[in-house]
Amino acid sequence: MTPMRTHPLRTALTCASSDSGAGAGIQADLKTFAAHGVYGFSALAGVTAQNTREVLDAFYLPPELLRAQLQAVWSDFDLGGVKIGLLGTRDNAQVVLDFIERKLSPELPVVLDPVMCSASGHVFLDEEAFRAVLRLFPRALLVTPNLFEAEAVVGRKIEGFRGFPEAAAKIRDLGARNVLIKGGHLEGEPRDYLLLEDGSDFFFDGERIPTRDDHGTGCTLSSAILSRLVRGCDLQTSVKLAKLYTAEAMRRAPGLGRGRGPLHHFHQFYEFEKDRSEPSEGG
Ligand code: PXL
């Protein structure tokens, strides 16, 4: 057998689902890794048929196929970190849990984005799948729920950003080591809240970016955080830099589609020519 090479290239694996519009999901993850100089591997959990306006269909792969992809990647490459996105089913979440427990070193950074819905409002997870994703929390270095996901996890409404510290503490009680609650869905200026395992906490104030192009921001942010972690930043710095990257990717969005469009993941490298005049009939 050929010996394993240790390679200086930074790498990360995303376990998530495909978005045919390529703004979210596995496509957003791989673009974000690449934009950060991190080589991305992928283990596909499902396939969604969607665009900037709606999710038309979603199909989740059999757990054996997800397991085989994880094994294929793990047995040949050094992994720098793992990002978990939409897994879709209880069985797929269980496969990822087994993989982390049996194959990964506890030091390897795992960022879990507990995706439940699309930006267009489609609910991806049933109750059983949601419960299985909760079981992944103790295996994640960081869990990144948005406001609605955090409410679902703690089981009640969160009244504005003042409710974030209590909600994050509850999420930590479920085993998550560090928690980032994203406040982009709040009224007014967005505010995110990071609770670290040593008990320190931080609010990150952002400005509301005047754009309708926010499809895949959650996937992009969590992948950018993992990329920074893989490159050696601490958690707080990784979150800060990932927020700047995601905000700029929204500001420079290419303006594609008729709904909530994708971001510009490679904004550091080139501009898109933008012309989002109203589309003609059928065009
Ligand atoms: O952003 C959440 C998300 C994750 N994964 C896939 C998605 C979406 C949102 O649309 O389609 C595949």
Side-chain angles (χ1 to χ4, degrees):
M1 203 162 98
T2 330
M4 184 98 163
R5 281 183 290 222
T6 49
H7 199 284
L9 184 65
R10 320 285 177 142
T11 66
L13 164 67
T14 170
C15 311
S17 296
S18 167
D19 166 9
S20 48
I26 219 131
Q27 290 86 353
D29 297 344
L30 291 176
K31 284 188 260 188
T32 302
F33 294 157
H36 286 82
V38 171
Y39 187 94
F41 305 108
S42 60
L44 201 60
V47 180
T48 71
Q50 65 172 303
N51 52 35
T52 59
R53 294 205 288 201
E54 61 182 329
V55 176
L56 290 90
D57 207 352
F59 175 82
Y60 299 104
L61 300 187
E64 302 75 41
L65 190 52
L66 178 58
R67 189 180 301 116
Q69 293 174 77
L70 294 170
Q71 175 64 18
V73 171
W74 176 82
S75 61
D76 198 25
F77 304 109
D78 285 329
L79 295 182
V82 174
K83 134 102 201 236
I84 302 169
L86 175 62
L87 300 175
T89 62
R90 181 198 62 178
D91 288 353
N92 280 347
Q94 187 61 44
V95 164
V96 172
L97 181 59
D98 290 345
F99 172 70
I100 294 174
E101 285 184 341
R102 292 187 192 161
K103 303 285 169 71
L104 301 186
S105 141
E107 280 89 62
L108 200 79
V110 174
V111 175
L112 169 61
D113 186 15
V115 179
M116 295 173 61
C117 299
S118 72
S120 57
H122 179 89
V123 179
F124 289 119
L125 299 189
D126 61 19
E127 182 66 25
E128 213 184 23
F130 175 65
R131 298 273 144 225
V133 169
L134 289 183
R135 289 198 289 277
L136 283 162
F137 279 31
R139 301 291 157 186
L141 173 67
L142 177 70
V143 182
T144 64
N146 64 27
L147 181 64
F148 306 128
E149 289 153 357
E151 287 181 339
V153 172
V154 301
R156 61 181 175 78
K157 213 160 162 43
I158 299 172
E159 299 299 341
F161 64 83
R162 284 186 188 80
F164 283 4
E166 196 188 330
K170 276 201 159 182
I171 296 173
R172 258 200 357 188
D173 290 345
L174 294 170
R177 280 170 60 192
N178 301 279
V179 182
L180 177 69
I181 302 184
K182 299 171 292 184
H185 294 98
L186 291 171
E187 295 284 307
E189 291 305 295
R191 248 186 162 189
D192 298 346
Y193 176 72
L194 177 65
L195 176 60
L196 297 181
E197 58 187 333
D198 66 4
S200 57
D201 61 350
F202 308 89
F203 275 104
F204 294 91
D205 289 319
E207 50 169 322
R208 175 99 26 219
I209 299 167
T211 178
R212 62 175 166 165
D213 297 326
D214 62 356
H215 182 86
T217 45
C219 306
T220 300
L221 182 77
S222 52
S223 295
I225 295 171
L226 180 66
S227 299
R228 290 293 181 180
L229 289 169
V230 163
R231 298 191 63 94
C233 294
D234 64 29
L235 200 45
Q236 194 193 339
T237 309
S238 296
V239 170
K240 193 172 128 196
L241 294 176
K243 281 179 59 65
L244 291 173
Y245 168 79
T246 307
E248 199 55 23
M250 285 171 84
R251 263 186 221 106
R252 309 248 211 117
L256 293 172
R258 298 174 187 189
R260 298 168 73 166
L263 316 187
H264 185 2
H265 291 93
F266 296 106
H267 58 78
Q268 305 106 309
F269 305 106
Y270 58 89
E271 284 292 337
F272 280 116
E273 292 224 2
K274 253 203 260 198
D275 174 23
R276 199 186 217 177
S277 43
E278 283 311 303
S280 54
E281 276 306 303

